Amino acid sequence: MSEIVSTESRGDCLVIRVNNPPVNALGHAVRAGVVTALADIGGARCAVLHCEGRTFFAGADITEFGKPPQSPSLPEMIAALEDCPAPVIAAIHGMALGGGLETALGCDYRIIDRKARIGFPEIDLGIFPGAGGTQRAPRLAGIAATLGMTLDGKPIDATRAVKTGLCDEISDGDILENAIEFAMQQSQKRRIRDLPSPVVDQPAIDAELAKAAKARRGQIAVDKATEAVLASAALPFEQGLEKERELFLELIGGPQSRAMRHLFFSERLSAKVDGLNASPKSLGLIGVVGSGTMGSGIAMAFANAGFSVRLFDANADALKAGMERIRSLYMASAAKGRTSEAEALDRYDRIQPAHNWEAFSACDLIIEAVFERMDVKKAVFAELDKVARADAILATNTSYLDVDSIAAATKDPARILGMHFFSPANVMRLLEIVRGAKTYDITLATALDAAKRIKKVPVVSGVCHGFIGNRMLKGYGREAGLCMMEGAAPEAVDKALYDFGMPMGPLAMADLAGLDIGYDNRRSMTAGEDYEPLASLLQDRLVEIGRKGQKTGAGIYNYEPGNRTPRPDPDVNAIIEQLAAEHGVKRRDVSSEEIVERCMLALINEGAAILSEGIAQRASDIDVVYANGYGFPRYRGGPMFYADELGAGHILERLENYQEKYGPKWWTPSPLIRELAASGGTFGHWKRDR
Ligand code: CAA
């Protein structure tokens, strides 16, 4: 037997043990080992399939995707489980995910640890269960429940696993011992393939499809997965398997799955920093300065992960309002059933209002989330410098400002960095961690560890105006504004980008954020910052006539009271036309292809600059920022992955086309794009000489 798969006889029961850390992915060695073990079953009356370590199989080995298949394949291994003359029992602990659950469904029975969960997360990789899961699961759980799990991707707990019929029994105590005892009582094989086909419950199926259509707009795997699951009712088992395979292979070789797999690995890589050589400090008490929307959300993110938090605001009324907001958000989450009421109250209790700066003297990490102005931030850090312990880490949540200048307001700039949360901070997964010129390795390592504990996806950025995400957004917004001035109606600009896959268009987004924010920003720009006045003419005019966006019931669009749906306004179109005429902009038809292309090229060109300057460590970090902080469609992999799919040569040619038309100011191709176009390289493979 291999080191990865071993067997042990326990009386008449053969225990097949798999040990393939960290998550027992079903790589080739595992599959081959299990098939060999089954072939050697000898006179055993039953077998138990058990995994060592923290989990049952977490799925097929994703690193093998796209490589030449190696026999035995996962379906072949599952067939060997079914063909084994003795009943085989899956002993599930931790998670049984994807191919892991399909393996369990290839067994005759499944016993599950009370804390374990099972699921089909493949949809998040742009695929669906492709090793018989779509044919076996419906024969136990029905079509609607299988579709629900397949299209939603979230695992279900042990109680639900038994209720749906996917598992047979819950185990309390030692899963292996319980599974052996259970196995010894089974004298019969019970292959799922021999069960009758599921019945079609159309209303329940339609309800699942409606949910998926909304949550997974644009993802082609939804239709293919549905077709495969429905085949379990329409076709005999073997033909159903063939249908599943055919649809699965279409997806796995396609661009959407490639993009989503790229993000899976990129999101795990982004927390790793080349050359970082320090272990994180342990964190206990967290301090948050500023109890506005951002500060409250940050306090909640830490409280949700079990940390005690001190929340301070120099304005006592604002602090009271912040605490009330937090309480009502927790109560709303309990009312929706996301947490129990007791848990919601516990979380709330972990956040203690603080009434003076001294409250921070015991904190290990203090995050500032006050008004976005350098003098205000510096004043806060000067106060923190007086009260915080010398070894405490101080972080600023600034979205744009120079972290090094903020750090300079303190005695020890090396313990300062940026922790840029995205709103709402208790929900959004992205956390940009801004490493200052003097930030200690241990400061950075601790912030990365904190991000992991509060379940954020961290991306490290260097210091520059707007860091990775907001710096890139500038060009994206600029091109949207220019397309509108040149002739596209606001709703046409937004629709083009919505259809590309963005959750909302940039102009509706500007209304949501408040047009006055950009207006004020443009008026407080410091030396070295620049913007395109033509692109913001409309926003400036609208702010000046009191249309500041959703909050005033009108901005680029109109809003009916209590309704956030943007409604096009002919008066705004008239203003656009008037402004265009005043500034000599010739109006023309601007196609949706042009809108998308210009907005994407602007993102990519700035992304290339960010990469070559070393602001981002790697192209995939930029993709992680955009997929998790800006709603970039996951099935497109992020702007830099999208650029690689188009090819650097194509990107260069299109940038040069716009450069010729509009001049060099915004359209000069980044030298990195020229380099990649010349060498045939990709952003994904490019490495900066350090
Ligand atoms: N294949 C290969 N590597 C995997 C993997 C898989 N299925 N699942 C996790 N890993 C790797 C991760 O890349 C990570 O590697 P590094 O340490 O080198 O970064 C390591 O295992 C640990 O993973 P996490 O950091 O994610 O650990 P976690 O404890 O936070 O989460 C988990 C564990 C919930 C299992 C999570 O890793 C996960 O969701 N994995 C993917 C599960 C999945 O999608 N399974 C379906 C696979 S596709 C399939 O099975 C298709 C089919 O039908 C044939």
Side-chain angles (χ1 to χ4, degrees):
M1 282 277 89
S2 67
E3 272 176 31
I4 290 181
V5 181
S6 59
T7 54
E8 180 196 352
S9 290
R10 294 283 300 271
D12 283 345
C13 179
L14 178 77
V15 176
I16 304 173
R17 285 176 199 272
V18 178
N19 184 15
N20 188 27
V23 295
N24 288 310
L26 283 150
H28 175 253
V30 172
R31 302 192 302 268
V34 170
V35 169
T36 307
L38 288 165
D40 291 345
I41 182 130
R45 220 157 36 86
C46 55
V48 166
L49 184 57
H50 169 69
C51 292
E52 306 273 345
R54 59 173 151 140
T55 185
F56 192 72
F57 304 110
D61 186 338
I62 308 169
T63 60
E64 287 182 355
F65 291 5
K67 297 182 184 157
Q70 271 184 296
S71 190
S73 65
L74 191 54
E76 283 165 350
M77 185 196 88
I78 292 172
L81 287 165
E82 283 186 327
D83 292 345
C84 174
V88 186
I89 286 77
I92 301 173
H93 75 291
M95 301 266 216
L97 296 179
L101 177 53
E102 293 179 291
T103 299
L105 294 172
C107 298
D108 299 271
Y109 302 90
R110 286 146 296 279
I111 171 164
I112 179 166
D113 179 77
R114 188 170 292 280
K115 290 200 218 84
R117 291 187 297 160
I118 62 171
F120 286 134
E122 288 93 334
I123 196 86
D124 288 328
L125 300 170
I127 50 175
F128 62 80
T134 63
Q135 306 306 298
R136 291 189 181 89
R139 284 174 161 77
L140 291 178
I143 292 193
T146 305
L147 268 180
M149 286 173 72
T150 309
L151 301 182
D152 161 314
K154 296 203 177 64
I156 58 172
D157 64 19
T159 311
R160 188 149 162 68
V162 171
K163 210 165 152 201
T164 55
L166 290 170
C167 288
D168 299 288
E169 199 170 289
I170 292 188
S171 154
D172 288 304
D174 190 311
I175 181 74
L176 178 59
E177 295 308 322
N178 289 345
I180 294 171
E181 199 184 317
F182 180 91
M184 297 297 274
Q185 293 157 19
Q186 313 306 326
S187 52
Q188 299 281 319
K189 288 285 287 177
R190 197 199 58 175
R191 304 189 316 170
I192 295 175
R193 64 160 63 221
D194 301 326
L195 298 176
S197 303
V199 290
V200 175
D201 175 357
Q202 202 57 50
I205 293 171
D206 289 344
E208 295 301 340
L209 295 183
K211 270 192 263 170
K214 199 163 163 222
R216 297 197 176 270
R217 184 171 60 92
Q219 297 185 18
I220 54 172
V222 169
D223 283 353
K224 305 273 178 203
T226 306
E227 200 180 333
V229 173
L230 290 176
S232 67
L235 298 174
F237 187 80
E238 277 303 331
Q239 282 179 33
L241 281 186
E242 279 167 29
K243 185 80 199 160
E244 177 196 80
R245 188 100 300 245
E246 178 196 312
L247 294 163
F248 178 84
L249 290 177
E250 276 176 39
L251 288 175
I252 198 135
Q256 290 204 352
S257 176
R258 218 170 27 245
M260 292 169 93
R261 281 172 356 234
H262 159 76
L263 281 174
F264 177 87
F265 288 113
S266 303
E267 284 166 358
R268 281 150 183 86
L269 191 61
S270 71
K272 294 171 188 150
V273 178
D274 294 343
L276 182 69
N277 206 0
S279 306
K281 283 201 237 183
S282 77
L283 293 177
L285 190 59
I286 308 298
V288 178
V289 190
S291 62
T293 314
M294 216 54 207
S296 310
I298 295 170
M300 289 174 78
F302 279 93
N304 294 349
F307 287 97
S308 297
V309 181
R310 298 274 180 278
L311 179 63
F312 171 73
D313 200 298
N315 176 333
D317 289 340
L319 180 58
K320 201 162 158 243
M323 290 303 294
E324 272 161 20
R325 182 180 321 112
I326 291 171
R327 191 183 166 86
S328 70
L329 285 170
Y330 276 135
M331 289 303 110
S333 133
K336 284 183 195 147
R338 289 197 189 125
T339 54
S340 66
E341 201 171 315
E343 176 60 25
L345 286 172
D346 269 358
R347 291 178 183 191
Y348 176 70
D349 286 343
R350 280 178 213 138
I351 304 174
Q352 291 296 317
H355 301 284
N356 49 45
W357 291 100
E358 280 66 36
F360 291 127
S361 60
C363 290
D364 303 299
L365 165 67
I366 306 166
I367 302 164
E368 159 282 309
V370 301
F371 193 65
E372 186 77 350
R373 230 175 57 197
M374 184 55 92
D375 55 339
V376 182
K377 303 265 187 204
K378 280 189 170 176
V380 165
F381 276 80
E383 289 295 338
L384 291 176
D385 213 24
K386 287 185 220 152
V387 293
R389 278 198 333 256
D391 64 341
I393 291 173
L394 310 183
T396 167
N397 176 52
T398 179
S399 329
Y400 288 95
L401 300 175
D402 182 342
V403 172
D404 290 331
S405 298
I406 297 173
T410 67
K411 290 191 284 292
D412 182 8
R415 62 165 166 157
I416 313 257
L417 43 57
M419 286 177 86
H420 178 211
F421 289 80
F422 286 69
S423 190
N426 52 319
V427 177
M428 295 289 285
R429 291 182 72 214
L430 179 64
L431 177 60
E432 271 183 326
I433 298 187
V434 187
R435 183 183 201 173
K438 296 192 175 154
T439 305
Y440 286 132
D441 277 7
I442 192 168
T443 309
L444 181 60
T446 307
L448 284 164
D449 187 54
K452 190 172 173 195
R453 282 148 168 263
I454 60 172
K455 299 196 168 59
K456 300 288 178 204
V457 183
V459 173
V460 177
S461 169
V463 176
C464 65
H465 187 74
F467 318 122
I468 297 172
N470 284 342
R471 172 170 159 186
M472 285 168 67
L473 198 63
K474 224 171 111 182
Y476 174 80
R478 179 191 70 232
E479 289 312 311
L482 289 174
C483 287
M484 183 178 68
M485 288 310 291
E486 288 171 34
E491 61 275 21
V493 172
D494 279 348
K495 182 172 184 314
L497 290 153
Y498 178 81
D499 289 348
F500 176 80
M502 301 302 286
M504 69 196 296
L507 303 172
M509 187 57 152
D511 266 358
L512 175 67
L515 301 182
D516 50 329
I517 295 185
Y519 184 89
D520 291 343
N521 271 343
R522 286 188 285 281
R523 270 141 202 85
S524 60
M525 282 193 172
T526 50
E529 291 177 40
D530 202 359
Y531 72 100
E532 170 54 62
L534 266 186
S536 46
L537 279 178
L538 175 70
Q539 277 94 324
D540 287 355
R541 176 69 58 88
L542 292 174
V543 170
E544 281 157 13
I545 58 172
R547 297 181 64 131
K548 296 184 185 169
Q550 278 194 21
K551 60 186 166 192
T552 57
I556 298 171
Y557 297 98
N558 281 338
Y559 300 89
E560 282 166 12
N563 190 330
R564 289 164 171 268
T565 314
R567 308 206 180 265
D569 182 346
D571 290 350
V572 171
N573 290 341
I575 300 177
I576 298 171
E577 278 172 23
Q578 186 201 344
L579 288 169
E582 282 170 15
H583 290 80
V585 180
K586 212 164 145 253
R587 306 267 292 164
R588 64 183 172 91
D589 278 346
V590 181
S591 70
S592 52
E593 290 76 23
E594 179 178 337
I595 295 166
V596 169
E597 182 175 62
R598 284 169 63 177
C599 290
M600 288 304 132
L601 286 175
L603 278 180
I604 294 163
N605 205 24
E606 196 65 39
I610 281 175
L611 195 57
S612 50
E613 287 167 28
I615 296 293
Q617 270 197 101
R618 39 181 103 84
S620 65
D621 284 1
I622 299 177
D623 291 334
V624 172
V625 166
Y626 264 78
N628 290 285
Y630 298 83
F632 198 93
R634 295 185 72 82
Y635 60 83
R636 295 194 193 272
M640 307 319 278
F641 182 87
Y642 178 68
D644 279 344
E645 293 278 291
L646 294 176
H650 173 81
I651 302 281
L652 178 62
E653 188 262 307
R654 298 309 297 152
L655 285 169
E656 284 175 339
N657 164 63
Y658 288 112
Q659 185 183 16
E660 209 178 298
K661 213 162 150 193
Y662 294 104
K665 181 162 184 193
W666 304 117
W667 288 107
T668 302
S670 148
L672 174 56
I673 294 178
R674 286 196 185 283
E675 179 191 322
L676 295 178
S679 66
T682 60
F683 289 116
H685 286 106
W686 184 79
K687 270 204 162 30
R688 190 165 170 266
D689 297 328
R690 284 170 204 280

